Amino acid sequence: MLNLNLLKRLTKTTPSKIILLVMDGLGGLPIEGKTELEHASIPNLDSLVRKSICGVVDPVSPGITPGSGPAHLGLFGCDPLKYEIGRGVLEATGINFPLEKNDLAVRINFATIDKEGRITDRRAGRISTELNEKLCQKLDKISLESVKIFVRPVKEHRAVVVFRGENLSEKIAETDPQKLGALPLEPAPLSKEAETTSKIISKFVSEAKKILSPHHPANMILLRGFSKPPSLPSFSQVYHLHPAAIATYPMYKGLARLFGMEILDLKGTNIEDEIRALEENFNDYDFFFIHIKGTDSAGEDGDWKRKVQVIENVDKFIPQILKLNPDVFMVTGDHSTPSVLKSHSWHPVPLLLYSPTCRVDEVAKFSENACAKGGLGRMPAIDIMPLALAHAQKLEKYGA
Amino acid sequence: MLNLNLLKRLTKTTPSKIILLVMDGLGGLPIEGKTELEHASIPNLDSLVRKSICGVVDPVSPGITPGSGPAHLGLFGCDPLKYEIGRGVLEATGINFPLEKNDLAVRINFATIDKEGRITDRRAGRISTELNEKLCQKLDKISLESVKIFVRPVKEHRAVVVFRGENLSEKIAETDPQKLGALPLEPAPLSKEAETTSKIISKFVSEAKKILSPHHPANMILLRGFSKPPSLPSFSQVYHLHPAAIATYPMYKGLARLFGMEILDLKGTNIEDEIRALEENFNDYDFFFIHIKGTDSAGEDGDWKRKVQVIENVDKFIPQILKLNPDVFMVTGDHSTPSVLKSHSWHPVPLLLYSPTCRVDEVAKFSENACAKGGLGRMPAIDIMPLALAHAQKLEKYGA
């Protein structure tokens, strides 16, 4: 497998521009013989496909259904089997919290305990997000020596705490015993260097318990997913790109930020707003990651029709993107989310690569099965970035 | 990835014969809708393809444009991301210098220095190859204790020096400061075990400087690419083959020699001479690597027509090769060299494998896009040798 150090050695900065358009959960499964993509009326993508080379992409490895983290690691050229994004970091990333290198991020669940301290509800009756926000404001005021503390709401009973300080360790045991009637566990150190961190977390939990005691059913917190940001290769350092991310959901902004992308401001949350941001910033960057969330949301909801509509809606903006004259334009998904499964799946995702240097194949329709017969064949997602850099003529020859 | 030790364990010697015909830079890109290969009239290859199984080959990894070194490593079954051939070794190989195992090979650039020793031209005004030859003869006479020295001309201002001795190290700093007005750098040791070597190189440079002083503009040498031959697996030891190489260019003879191939003498430098050597030696070896240079040279020159002609010319010799009745006959390239790019490229290369045990697919034309739909799919070059050995029935079963 290609080594990122080699790519770093071979990439050079050129004026050429790359656009990676990701329809989240794009791949589907047929209902009445046709997948969502096969059913959609997409004249612009079908026209573009005839000038492109196509293939199907395994986000991680055949048979593996990825979460959003691993799926985007793959798209960005990082082996998702080698790099892992911990649960705490993913939660912080998901609310677009600006994590720093040495931060320790932890997922909080608000919970209910009885007078003896035993857990009676591990999700505090799924309190409202509004109440969650108020409680987080209180917990955010906890002040401990040697660390800065940030407590931020996520949704319902879920929140995140970030500890900022020196020498914090992620080797801490989860405090959720995963059963009712038990006492919360201690945030025990799992290795010697985690002892100081363990004490800090213990103090934080006991302060939180005091603050929350009048707020039944949310009168306790359970902690899991202690994790620090993985040292992911930044796009500027590895690929020598000046990258921008265009996304409407915080999770994807956060993931892009982990790779050192700049997050562009949007005027709204529609595809139109995303494409406008692309147009307005096209001169200032040489790599654009555009994330479309609607396809995945519709798939997760099992809403076949809506997924078709989102794809058709994206198709309308293809001419506007092509007018910018990118040197490499790729359209794909991060994984499949077939409406019939109402969840992410392991099925490969169609990929279209348009560039003056591509060997145009005979694929005449942008769909899962048509792309499987394309000139790129079947490939792992981590090959997408090297291919894009090659077609943008940003890669030097390897060896003499 | 298949391990060479496993292959070594599984291969056995049989009378069956394998021919690997490599058209250098075979893969192309379309002009007016057709690649060079698609445009060429190749009735014999098109007929052969109908009895063969086809695929497309990534020389190194998707998106990576290989030099000749890495490309041939891949063809010969060696991972080009694991083995690297240093610049000095490649230069020596390129003039077919018979390197020995412990030799230290170094690239020389003749350069111009002023009275203060500062570099005024890093290429000595690109002196003629004739002058280069004369100067190399003088430098070749330098005699130092404990090492043998060979100085050989390459072309224009480029030459190579090989040091033969015990415990020579390649961990030596380049002496080219890469800018004008600077003094040449010392060949400093980059690790402790390189100290003795560093002293030897220093002495060589100062002797060379004395000898060259009356030969302005070539009055100095700059050294780079200190390297020893990589310990590449030999064909006889790993594959248990008795291999012969048929090539007209010194570089490819040199590369084949690094793998322990015997280099066959040719009567001339035409394809005809290469095929005659194949015929005359067919009984004496069980593996033949035939290298055709013309396709790559034409591609590098951007000469679309000539590349088409070379391919058509090779096609004429296919019946003669088939008459020899090889057990496995493969036709491919080491990489693509599209005339429109005038350089090596990252595009996969078509591969045809003809053997009585192949599963004939539906490919009816030997071309990039047709082969992409072949039964072998898309594969890395390092899989070619195991496939060839298997079809030649030279591989034992793995495991019981």
Side-chain angles (χ1 to χ4, degrees), chain A residues 9 357 359-360 362 376 390 398 400, chain B residues 28 65 67 80 347-348 369 373:
Chain A
R9 214 177 85 192
T357 56
R359 255 184 213 153
V360 178
E362 289 168 25
L376 291 173
Y398 172 57
Chain B
T65 297
H347 301 84
N369 274 345
K373 290 183 185 165

Side-chain angles (χ1 to χ4, degrees), chain A residues 28-253:
Chain A
L29 279 174
I31 288 186
E32 292 172 10
K34 282 186 177 180
T35 67
E36 298 91 325
L37 184 55
E38 282 167 345
H39 193 80
S41 165
I42 46 170
N44 296 309
L45 283 165
D46 285 346
S47 159
L48 180 62
V49 98
R50 292 192 194 98
K51 304 179 219 160
S52 304
I53 187 164
C54 297
V56 284
V57 170
D58 286 298
V60 175
S61 187
I64 301 302
T65 298
S68 300
H72 280 80
L73 282 178
L75 283 179
F76 298 155
C78 239
D79 185 358
L81 296 173
K82 203 171 139 193
Y83 293 86
E84 232 173 311
I85 303 178
R87 164 63 59 181
V89 170
L90 204 68
E91 290 289 347
T93 301
I95 55 166
N96 201 16
F97 181 89
L99 278 179
E100 294 187 4
K101 201 180 148 196
N102 291 314
D103 286 355
L104 176 66
V106 191
R107 156 85 174 265
I108 290 179
N109 275 5
F110 286 104
T112 314
I113 52 173
D114 62 17
K115 281 176 186 165
E116 289 168 348
R118 292 179 196 282
I119 299 167
T120 58
D121 188 335
R122 291 172 51 237
R123 294 183 187 86
R126 290 189 189 272
I127 53 167
S128 70
T129 304
E130 292 69 39
L131 176 55
N132 180 336
E133 282 167 8
K134 279 180 201 153
L135 297 175
C136 282
Q137 280 172 19
K138 291 181 194 291
L139 299 183
D140 191 54
K141 289 185 183 134
I142 295 175
S143 158
L144 297 178
E145 263 176 51
S146 79
V147 287
K148 268 188 149 177
I149 292 172
F150 307 87
V151 182
R152 297 287 181 270
V154 178
K155 209 178 170 184
E156 297 178 340
H157 60 286
R158 287 160 26 217
V160 65
V161 52
V162 173
F163 299 90
R164 184 166 292 163
E166 295 296 310
N167 300 318
L168 294 170
S169 168
E170 51 188 15
K171 306 273 183 207
I172 301 287
E174 305 193 342
T175 71
D176 185 346
Q178 303 272 351
K179 56 182 175 193
L180 300 182
L183 296 168
L185 302 172
E186 279 302 306
L190 297 174
S191 77
K192 214 168 161 70
E193 84 268 13
E195 284 174 3
T196 314
T197 308
S198 165
K199 282 176 196 155
I200 293 168
I201 308 287
S202 273
K203 268 188 216 159
F204 172 75
V205 173
S206 79
E207 291 294 315
K209 194 175 168 185
K210 271 185 234 164
I211 292 169
L212 294 174
S213 69
H215 295 283
H216 186 281
N219 60 357
M220 186 53 179
I221 54 169
L222 300 174
L223 302 182
R224 53 190 281 226
F226 293 82
S227 49
K228 300 173 82 168
S231 50
L232 293 172
S234 90
F235 264 49
S236 62
Q237 276 169 31
V238 174
Y239 304 134
H240 300 105
L241 289 171
H242 184 42
I246 300 172
T248 56
Y249 269 50
M251 163 83 86
Y252 308 95
K253 295 183 194 175

Side-chain angles (χ1 to χ4, degrees), chain B residues 100-104 144-150 162-170 172 192-201 228:
Chain B
E100 295 186 3
K101 201 179 147 197
N102 291 314
D103 285 355
L104 176 66
L144 297 178
E145 262 174 56
S146 79
V147 288
K148 269 187 146 175
I149 291 171
F150 307 87
V162 173
F163 299 90
R164 185 166 292 164
E166 297 295 310
N167 301 320
L168 294 171
S169 168
E170 50 187 16
I172 301 286
K192 211 164 167 74
E193 84 268 13
E195 285 175 1
T196 314
T197 309
S198 164
K199 282 175 196 155
I200 293 168
I201 309 287
K228 300 172 81 167

Side-chain angles (χ1 to χ4, degrees), chain A residues 275-290:
Chain A
I275 304 305
R276 190 178 307 140
L278 173 70
E279 290 172 331
E280 287 174 2
N281 292 277
F282 197 67
N283 289 331
D284 301 334
Y285 301 87
D286 53 14
F287 179 90
F288 297 87
F289 160 57
I290 310 174

Side-chain angles (χ1 to χ4, degrees), chain A residues 287-364:
Chain A
F287 179 90
F288 297 87
F289 160 57
I290 310 174
H291 182 267
I292 309 289
K293 179 63 181 171
T295 28
D296 181 59
S297 312
E300 294 258 13
D301 293 347
D303 193 337
W304 165 274
K305 257 197 190 165
R306 203 171 91 229
K307 189 168 169 192
V308 170
Q309 282 164 359
V310 177
I311 296 169
E312 290 179 344
N313 194 14
V314 171
D315 185 72
K316 294 193 184 101
F317 292 94
I318 299 298
Q320 237 169 293
I321 298 175
L322 290 175
K323 230 179 241 168
L324 296 170
N325 209 16
D327 298 87
V328 178
F329 178 35
M330 295 172 298
V331 182
T332 189
D334 57 340
H335 54 73
S336 295
T337 307
S339 308
V340 292
L341 296 182
K342 295 187 180 182
S343 68
H344 291 197
S345 81
W346 61 93
H347 303 85
V349 193
L351 164 69
L352 162 172
L353 188 156
Y354 169 72
S355 158
T357 56
C358 79
R359 255 184 213 153
V360 178
D361 57 25
E362 289 168 25
V363 177

Side-chain angles (χ1 to χ4, degrees), chain B residues 9 38 96 118 201 219 306 321 351 399:
Chain B
R9 216 176 85 193
E38 283 167 344
N96 201 15
R118 293 180 195 282
I201 309 287
N219 60 356
R306 204 171 89 230
I321 298 174
L351 165 69

